[in-house]
Amino acid sequence: MAIDKLISTIQSYNPGANIDLITKAFDFAREAHLGQKRLSGELFITHPLSVAQILANYKLDSTSIVVGLLHDVIEDTPVTYGEMVKNFGKEIADLVEGITKVSNIKLQGSSDEIYVENLRKMILAMSKDLRVVLVKLADRYHNLQTASILPKERRIKIAQSTLDIYAPLAERLGMGEMKGNLEDLAFPYVYPAEYKWLTEYSRPYFRKAEEFLDKATKFVYKKLAEENITGKVTSRSKHLYSLWEKLNRPEIDKDITKVYDLVAMRVLVNNIRDCYAVLGIIHSSWKPVPAIGVRDFIAIPKPNGYRSIHTTVFSFKERITEVQIRTFEMHEEAENGVAAHWYYSEKKSSGISDTNLNSGTFAPLEKMNWVKQLVSWQKEIVDSTEFMESLKFDGLAHRIFVFSPKGDVYDLPFGATPIDFAYAVHTRLGNQAIGAKANGKMVSLDHKLKSGDLVEIIKKEGERPKKDWLQFIVTRLAKREINKHFREK
Ligand code: MN
């Protein structure tokens, strides 16, 4: 079992990677999992190694890779959190523990309420550090790739929770490629008959569309050359599960000839100006289809940050075709989402380097990105009923996430006030609160907090809770603590 391939992948994008630490983590994990085997009969260490490889393909930092290698150590071996701290430091130990917590949350609740509650816990555990999510997604990805060996019931359970939780999560993080792959892996386990039907039904249509796109691609290349625009023209075939979802829409009604983006053309160029130039070139040759027309996600990005111009046109022989136009950087972001942002923002700031990440100078930025994601997520959940139906996250619409000055996330019900927040942090902080700031500005103690607020409590030693707080607080915890205080008196 060698890690040569992993190391060469890492060195190709991060020459300053901490290879000693990565090697140490691999040896540690191999030792810890010694004697354990996967159901396939392979040594267990092949799993964390594959997870680390997936993370390296996303060009993630050394810490993420190390955590990928160690992610099952606390859960599946006698190694403790304390030993992890001793060997790898608190940051890595905390990340591994975060993943263990996420894995232990059972999403099959006996009621919707418990389900949503558990889901919240999971998101909360993940929101402490984005890397917990990325490692968890890579873990799920590899488990699905190797799921055929599992007992049927377990396989279905894993696949179902992938469709319910992990794929939507990847989508929210803008990781389109990960989302599509997770769904396609889960699809045959959850809907075997439908999967079989769709593969057979769609095959000739895919073939025909691909042949057609080959011709159209040559034509567009010629046009680009005439206008002196350098770019790359490719095509992408729709992921099967996403095709299945589209076929189930009432306006499509299982008629694949109404799916115009079965195979879409993709034009990648160097800058935004060229994107619009390409749009002009396309429209001067092929007329846009009325009513579907152009969607400009560069001017107005999707909530998950997706940017691209989509236009649906009558191309050769009036065949309806979708063309997607974007820059190379937008393309990278559309495929890899937050993971790509990570790499790019780092490269831009001071060249990719681990010292940058490990010294903590990078941490606030990375945390802020995740905060933004959470906040826009919340917004979308409130705004879009379609999103709510497609996910089981509706319980979250009635919750807000606020942050302590240290960056810790607190999950509170809608309408929560600084007093609710203070009691959520610590009873004493609640009891001694005399004032509060939200995002640096003084607010009243009955102020209704919003998702994404950074809340600071001003306290005074020896202060006592006020009875009128009971008029506006919304959490049971705050109510209980305040009442307890007055009973004791
Ligand atoms: Mn695992």
Side-chain angles (χ1 to χ4, degrees):
M1 188 50 41
I3 58 165
D4 305 356
K5 188 183 168 221
L6 176 66
I7 288 172
S8 74
T9 309
I10 296 166
Q11 280 173 332
S12 71
Y13 67 88
N14 183 4
N18 191 341
I19 300 298
D20 287 349
L21 186 67
I22 291 165
T23 311
K24 182 181 166 191
F26 175 73
D27 291 337
F28 189 93
R30 186 170 50 178
E31 184 75 20
H33 291 294
L34 206 67
Q36 293 177 351
K37 282 193 175 154
R38 304 201 89 207
L39 274 179
S40 61
E42 285 178 299
L43 291 175
F44 188 87
I45 188 70
T46 55
H47 166 63
L49 186 61
S50 303
V51 169
Q53 183 67 46
I54 293 166
L55 296 166
N57 295 343
Y58 274 100
K59 303 190 174 76
L60 293 178
D61 65 304
S62 301
T63 304
S64 305
I65 309 281
V66 166
V67 172
L69 288 167
L70 297 169
H71 81 271
D72 274 327
V73 162
I74 292 185
E75 192 176 354
D76 292 341
T77 81
V79 174
T80 62
Y81 170 80
E83 287 168 76
M84 292 291 285
V85 176
K86 218 168 71 199
N87 281 281
F88 294 98
K90 191 170 180 314
E91 187 190 22
I92 286 170
D94 281 347
L95 285 163
V96 173
E97 202 194 36
I99 290 152
T100 311
K101 270 191 198 146
V102 173
S103 310
N104 285 337
I105 293 167
K106 300 264 176 300
L107 280 168
Q108 275 81 11
S110 51
S111 68
D112 278 4
E113 220 168 276
I114 294 171
Y115 178 88
V116 170
E117 176 66 22
N118 287 338
L119 187 59
R120 263 188 334 92
K121 273 192 215 148
M122 185 169 116
I123 288 176
L124 212 60
M126 294 193 295
S127 65
K128 298 253 152 93
D129 192 310
L130 185 51
R131 286 172 293 188
V132 172
V133 190
L134 297 176
V135 176
K136 192 62 208 166
L137 285 172
D139 179 38
R140 177 51 58 113
Y141 188 37
H142 185 247
N143 281 336
L144 269 177
Q145 280 177 324
T146 50
S148 61
I149 199 93
L150 297 177
K152 194 174 167 195
E153 210 168 283
R154 232 178 106 210
R155 200 164 66 198
I156 293 174
K157 223 175 197 178
I158 287 182
Q160 184 68 59
S161 67
T162 302
L163 293 181
D164 287 345
I165 311 298
Y166 291 98
L169 194 58
E171 177 168 40
R172 287 304 307 125
L173 298 175
M175 303 169 77
E177 185 62 20
M178 176 67 92
K179 175 208 174 242
N181 290 337
L182 286 175
E183 286 179 343
D184 281 1
L185 284 166
F187 190 17
Y189 299 134
V190 180
Y191 304 104
E194 292 84 347
Y195 173 81
K196 191 165 176 281
W197 171 79
L198 182 63
T199 347
E200 278 157 28
Y201 171 52
S202 65
R203 192 174 294 129
Y205 294 94
F206 270 116
R207 196 178 302 139
K208 212 175 148 202
E210 278 154 13
E211 277 168 23
F212 173 80
L213 252 288
D214 277 350
K215 266 183 247 160
T217 299
K218 287 194 187 96
F219 175 78
V220 173
Y221 263 126
K222 205 179 89 201
K223 288 279 169 190
L224 289 184
E226 281 168 21
E227 304 290 330
N228 283 320
I229 292 173
T230 47
K232 197 175 157 196
V233 188
T234 60
S235 64
R236 74 103 187 91
S237 300
K238 203 170 184 61
H239 279 280
L240 267 187
Y241 185 75
S242 137
L243 173 60
W244 169 243
E245 281 185 313
K246 199 159 195 172
L247 287 171
N248 282 317
R249 287 194 204 161
E251 72 273 21
I252 307 277
D253 195 23
K254 301 251 166 50
D255 180 357
I256 199 166
T257 62
K258 288 185 187 150
V259 178
Y260 304 128
D261 66 342
L262 193 62
V263 182
M265 176 184 287
R266 233 170 227 172
V267 186
L268 308 180
V269 290
N270 290 315
N271 53 54
I272 292 179
R273 209 187 55 196
D274 284 355
C275 292
Y276 289 102
V278 170
L279 183 68
I281 291 169
I282 299 285
H283 283 179
S284 65
S285 306
W286 299 328
K287 294 270 169 292
V289 178
I292 312 178
V294 188
R295 278 147 303 151
D296 187 347
F297 300 119
I298 293 180
I300 304 165
K302 285 191 184 178
N304 68 359
Y306 177 81
R307 290 184 301 162
S308 193
I309 300 171
H310 291 189
T311 181
T312 307
V313 295
F314 294 108
S315 61
F316 300 130
K317 294 186 188 153
E318 301 294 289
R319 189 187 166 97
I320 297 177
T321 307
E322 182 174 304
V323 183
Q324 305 176 347
I325 307 161
R326 52 176 88 148
T327 66
F328 288 100
E329 187 174 337
M330 288 172 195
H331 179 63
E332 173 80 16
E333 284 177 13
E335 301 272 282
N336 301 331
V338 206
H341 277 293
W342 199 297
Y343 179 63
Y344 273 114
S345 57
E346 230 179 307
K347 237 169 70 167
K348 264 179 210 150
S349 57
S350 57
I352 179 155
S353 87
D354 268 13
T355 37
N356 201 8
L357 278 162
N358 295 337
S359 66
T361 49
F362 190 65
L365 178 65
E366 143 227 322
K367 211 162 229 171
M368 284 323 287
N369 278 340
W370 179 226
V371 170
K372 271 191 221 145
Q373 285 293 340
L374 266 180
V375 173
S376 73
W377 192 346
Q378 290 286 307
K379 267 195 211 132
E380 192 177 339
I381 288 165
V382 178
D383 293 347
S384 150
T385 43
E386 188 193 282
F387 187 73
M388 272 177 61
E389 276 165 17
S390 68
L391 299 184
K392 294 187 174 171
F393 287 147
D394 49 341
L396 289 171
H398 311 293
R399 310 291 300 187
I400 58 169
F401 288 101
V402 298
F403 300 84
S404 76
K406 279 193 225 148
D408 292 328
V409 191
Y410 290 86
D411 168 26
L412 298 168
F414 195 77
T417 64
I419 293 296
D420 294 292
F421 168 81
Y423 278 103
V425 176
H426 199 280
T427 303
R428 225 182 35 211
L429 187 63
N431 286 343
Q432 302 180 346
I434 55 160
K437 284 183 185 173
N439 307 315
K441 288 204 193 86
M442 290 298 300
V443 294
S444 59
L445 289 174
D446 64 352
H447 175 79
K448 293 203 183 324
L449 297 169
K450 291 190 308 297
S451 248
D453 280 347
L454 193 146
V455 190
E456 201 181 329
I457 298 297
I458 300 155
K459 60 170 187 172
K460 201 170 147 208
E461 217 56 58
E463 280 292 324
R464 301 265 176 268
K466 312 284 176 293
K467 211 157 202 165
D468 66 343
W469 289 354
L470 292 166
Q471 308 298 316
F472 57 75
I473 50 142
V474 297
T475 52
R476 256 173 299 173
L477 174 73
K479 192 173 173 187
R480 194 179 64 215
E481 290 302 324
I482 296 166
N483 281 331
K484 200 166 101 193
H485 180 84
F486 285 109
R487 263 204 313 275
E488 279 169 10
K489 240 178 38 176

